[in-house]
Amino acid sequence: MASIKYLKRAYSDDKIFELLDEHVALWFKRKYKTFTPPQKYAVKEIHEKRNVLISSPTGSGKTLSAFLAVINELVKKHKLNELDDKIYAIYISPLRALNNDIKRNLLDPIKGIGKTMKEKLPIRVAVRTSDTTQKEKAEMLRKPPHILITTPESLAILLNSPRFSQNFSEVKWLIVDEIHSLVENKRGSHLSLSLERLANRNKEFVRIGLSATVSPLEEVAKFLVGTKRSCNIVDVSYAKETEIEVLTPVDDLIYTPSEVLEGRLYRMLDELIEEHSTTLIFTNTRSGTERVVANLKAMFGDKYVENLAAHHSSLSRRVRLETEENLKLGNFKAVVSSTSLELGIDIGSIDLVVLLGSPKSATRAVQRIGRSGHRLHETSVGNMIALDRDDLVECSVIARNSLERKFEEVRIPKAPLDVLSQHIIGMSLEQVWDEKEAYKLIRQAYPYKDLTYTDYLNVLKYLSGGYEELEVRNVYGKIWYEDGKFGKKGKLIRMIYYTNIGTIPEEAYIKVFTRGNEFIGEIEEGFAERLMKGDIFALGGKTYVYLYSRGNRVVVEPAMDKRPTIPSWYSEMLPLSYNLALDMEEFKAKIAADLTEVKLGRKEKSEILEELMNSYHLDEKGARAVLNYIEEQLSYSTVPNKDKLVVEEYLDVDEGLKHYIFHTLIGRKANEVLGRVFAYFIGREKGMNLQVTISDYGFVLSVPRWRRIPDEVISKVFETSDDELVEGLKASIEGSEILRRRFRHVAARGFLILRQYKDKRMSANRQQISADSLLKFLLMYQRDFPLIKETYNEVLYEAMHIDEALDYMKRLNTRILEVKRNLDVPSPFAFNLLASGARDVVMLEDRRAFIRRLHKQLMEKIRGG
């Protein structure tokens, strides 16, 4: 019976050496002498053909844990003259750059073992990705590699290659590296189906997953092996010592002038870089990365001309690879990255990681900080630098959670139907399938364990042309399906499959025009999809109100320098995780309770400061700032907690708006659900349009100053049932940018829209126009269409987190709703939410000035009160 269990027993070096060929053992003893913790647990398990998930730090030897048994068996086969021209092991990596890294790391032991045998081992290793040349592909067909290194997308293509797939019949091991980066997205769902198809065509193989810190490991193990197999978990992520400190450059984060704050920040960075041999600095955005590099070079002259570089996904592959190579060679004192160096590319010896701003989750913090202290016995050292008070609270809770190993849970997509459509087409190219046998196979992939037969049949109906109305829109059947069986349809379908496969949507830039057809500039699609009618955003130093869109064109009108309701960083910034947000609410409530004890004379302030510094790893400046922040909130308003929800009515005289500030600290993706639904319900109830501003810390509904939302309406919305909230969200996104753009992505993944047909490539703009036409038709006549259902699922559960919003609404059942009316100054917890400007590593002066002005008014109120 399938089971998931943690391995409790580490094997001794002698026990493992007994399993190894004498030359493999000799090579290992000369190079490493002893086995590392993951190797002591995993090598014997893999040797005995058991599935294993290994979670361990960078530099702990987990890659060799996976490959040692493989190389050992191949060496034995060679000695027995049984090494055939077959693929024995497949290594899957989410990164093409990582593939080349692994090839180098594999060739080193193979050469080393060959030297101990005094011969050149004939074990072949090859990389197969979209970058592989035709010549290399032909060579692989002629002489297949014994170890194939590839990506999830290339594996799916190879499964349907009539000639190359024959080499998979002897696969004995399959390794998925960086599995944590695949589990939570549709690339991972795609891979899970590929693994089941591979296992179905050949005999079972050993599955080995390699992961950084992730939770819960049991879910990741199930993802790796599917629903019918057992897996052993090797968790030695605790084996690495980690030190984390939260720093702030100045004593006063509100009144320190921007140029002084900026100067202190860069001097602090310079000192940290000087004190260490190599420093890796993470920002959360590409623009932030470029700014930090530019400012360090500008402030310190020649010091950083040659030994400092940027690394992010917008740079060319050549530039990124050069930066990685120079890091390995120790040529850089520092590299600044957005998120692109989080994954396990070997980047040499780093002795400090600096996080500029909150990484938004403990899991991500540990992954980033784990890039330092590359070897197992070295300590991973990380500094988080916070530049405002909300960031300080985030970083302090993250630091504590990270060191206590309290990590956020992974979110595995649930039976995505667009990915399923791709694989059914791929399966049809292999053979004729009985529908029930195919369904049974698909449900063995863990993301598809709950796939309903109805949804499955609807996908078969769509792919076989069962929705005849779509033919007038040039959508034709890709498979035949009759009498409970299905297979491929037409000669071109194989080429269509090869040229349209994949799950990553094409990035599009959206052109912005005024009503008068004046071109303003471009915005990213991730930003555009969040726009709702009436939203205000900044572009080119001016603000505009969003009116409507056509294709990949957005129409706006000037907004007379009003503050944005959508921050410029929205598409880039990482969202705060839900569980971490709840921990932050608990943290604030605890400090507020401690401060109440101080007021009653039962506790000293110095005790709270001491705890903040010791348990939450803040420096003294940061600890005082956090304490002052929560004390101000407590003095003026209420600190929300598990028993009390706070809503503030604040009249903004300058903008002529009345803001209703909902202090729902649950992360941006859950808050977007509540913000949209509340605006929809209240707007319908009161017959008015509301502006919505979303943040990690809550949401704001804004109405003209003469309008009012009564208490009973607010209470009524908070009493919404689960079904009403789901239906309300669906109604609120009808005709929205997010529905339009996500439908295009789903339609392309599900082969409803072909990105490429024969030699013609359809531009993202043409795709969007085609998608808009199809969406309008399907919503009118075929709302049960599977890709419509999938689009709503993607919006509700991926773009937003409706499950978290529903969980929060249940938690509200025991809370008292406290509505504070007629405020002419909002509470401190609302400052950042209202500012809603470019909250990046280097903050804008107008945002700081806005917060400074509110804080002055607040302190006058507190002193006067």
Side-chain angles (χ1 to χ4, degrees), residues 55 123 162 173 228 320 360 479 490 493 511 568 570 596 622 672 697 761 796:
S55 177
I123 299 171
W173 304 275
K228 304 293 183 186
R320 293 199 311 272
K360 300 292 178 179
I479 63 171
I493 193 62
K511 295 184 184 301
S568 60
Y570 202 100
T596 303
E672 185 162 4
Y697 295 87
R761 186 92 184 157
L796 268 59

Side-chain angles (χ1 to χ4, degrees), residues 473-599:
R473 286 167 169 76
N474 299 318
V475 177
Y476 302 100
K478 279 92 179 167
I479 63 171
W480 60 261
Y481 170 47
E482 56 190 52
D483 300 327
K485 297 187 183 300
F486 68 86
K488 71 171 183 177
K489 184 177 183 178
K491 295 178 181 176
L492 286 173
I493 193 62
R494 187 177 297 276
M495 188 51 64
I496 288 171
Y497 179 75
Y498 289 162
T499 53
N500 289 275
I501 199 170
T503 61
I504 302 170
E506 283 185 53
E507 282 192 16
Y509 281 88
I510 315 301
K511 295 184 184 301
V512 180
F513 291 85
T514 62
R515 279 188 200 267
N517 211 31
E518 178 193 352
F519 177 64
I520 305 296
E522 291 183 329
I523 54 177
E524 289 183 328
E525 187 171 28
F527 180 86
E529 74 175 17
R530 250 59 196 199
L531 292 173
M532 293 185 278
K533 189 175 181 182
D535 273 334
I536 296 162
F537 65 95
L539 186 62
K542 295 180 180 178
T543 50
Y544 299 90
V545 61
Y546 167 72
L547 301 175
Y548 61 89
S549 67
R550 295 280 184 274
N552 276 344
R553 181 183 176 117
V554 158
V555 179
V556 299
E557 63 183 15
M560 301 296 290
D561 297 322
K562 288 187 176 180
R563 277 199 319 278
T565 57
I566 302 284
S568 60
W569 46 258
Y570 202 100
S571 61
E572 273 196 81
M573 191 61 117
L574 301 164
L576 182 70
S577 76
Y578 177 63
N579 289 329
L580 177 62
L582 294 178
D583 287 345
M584 287 171 59
E585 181 184 69
E586 190 180 318
F587 167 79
K588 288 178 176 180
K590 179 192 178 302
I591 302 300
D594 287 345
L595 285 166
T596 303
E597 290 291 292
V598 171
K599 251 184 186 176

Side-chain angles (χ1 to χ4, degrees), residues 93-108:
S93 156
L95 293 179
R96 287 180 297 184
L98 191 55
N99 289 331
N100 291 309
D101 222 40
I102 290 297
K103 183 180 177 183
R104 281 196 294 270
N105 293 342
L106 265 176
L107 292 176
D108 178 57

Side-chain angles (χ1 to χ4, degrees), residues 617-631:
H617 310 278
L618 286 156
D619 62 6
E620 189 176 345
K621 292 189 291 249
R624 290 190 184 282
V626 167
L627 203 57
N628 290 340
Y629 182 33
I630 295 168
E631 192 168 25

Side-chain angles (χ1 to χ4, degrees), residues 235-286:
D235 181 12
V236 290
S237 51
Y238 55 82
K240 193 83 177 281
E241 285 291 321
T242 304
E243 292 177 5
I244 303 175
E245 190 175 2
V246 183
L247 308 174
T248 184
V250 294
D251 291 309
D252 191 327
L253 287 166
I254 294 176
Y255 293 102
T256 302
S258 289
E259 63 275 11
V260 175
L261 175 63
E262 192 171 311
R264 295 267 177 85
L265 165 66
Y266 287 107
R267 277 196 292 280
M268 177 182 272
L269 282 177
D270 178 55
E271 287 167 13
L272 290 170
I273 293 167
E274 278 292 308
E275 290 165 6
H276 297 84
S277 56
T278 309
T279 301
L280 177 58
I281 301 167
F282 281 103
T283 69
N284 285 335
T285 65
R286 288 165 288 184

Side-chain angles (χ1 to χ4, degrees), residues 416-430:
L417 302 179
D418 47 357
V419 173
L420 177 61
S421 300
Q422 270 192 42
H423 272 280
I424 286 177
I425 293 170
M427 290 166 74
S428 76
L429 296 174
E430 294 177 329

